[in-house]
Amino acid sequence: MYKIYGKPMCGACTQAKKLLEMKQVDFEYLTLGKDYDLEKVSEFNPQHKSLPMITKIVGGEEVYVGTLTHLQNILN
């Protein structure tokens, strides 16, 4: 399962959701200011500067994946 850390009105965030839906992969979408704050992004990777930030649950642990481009490379 993946987690998408996104924000409203974010085209790349919408693309990440659509990609996971198309591939029929389970995911959770989290919205900035509602479900998390920017400190959460820094916990995974302080160098990550754009949204979406994508993680994957592996063995019960949340692991940093990266951006939409990283997700596309993994799933295609």
Side-chain angles (χ1 to χ4, degrees):
M1 181 176 95
Y2 287 89
K3 286 190 178 183
I4 301 171
Y5 292 83
K7 66 180 181 179
M9 307 298 291
C10 170
C13 302
T14 300
Q15 286 181 310
K17 288 189 325 187
K18 286 182 180 180
L19 176 60
L20 290 169
E21 287 169 350
M22 185 179 74
K23 298 286 185 174
Q24 298 180 341
V25 176
D26 290 336
F27 70 93
E28 178 180 4
Y29 186 87
L30 304 164
T31 302
L32 178 64
K34 178 182 174 192
D35 303 309
Y36 74 98
D37 59 27
L38 288 177
E39 288 180 31
K40 183 71 171 178
V41 173
S42 294
E43 288 175 19
F44 284 101
N45 184 339
Q47 303 305 314
H48 193 99
K49 301 294 182 202
S50 64
L51 294 175
M53 179 185 77
I54 300 165
T55 63
K56 183 176 183 179
I57 307 301
V58 178
E61 298 289 323
E62 193 170 0
V63 178
Y64 178 79
V65 170
T67 64
L68 170 61
T69 301
H70 295 107
L71 180 64
Q72 289 169 326
N73 289 337
I74 290 169
L75 296 178
N76 290 325

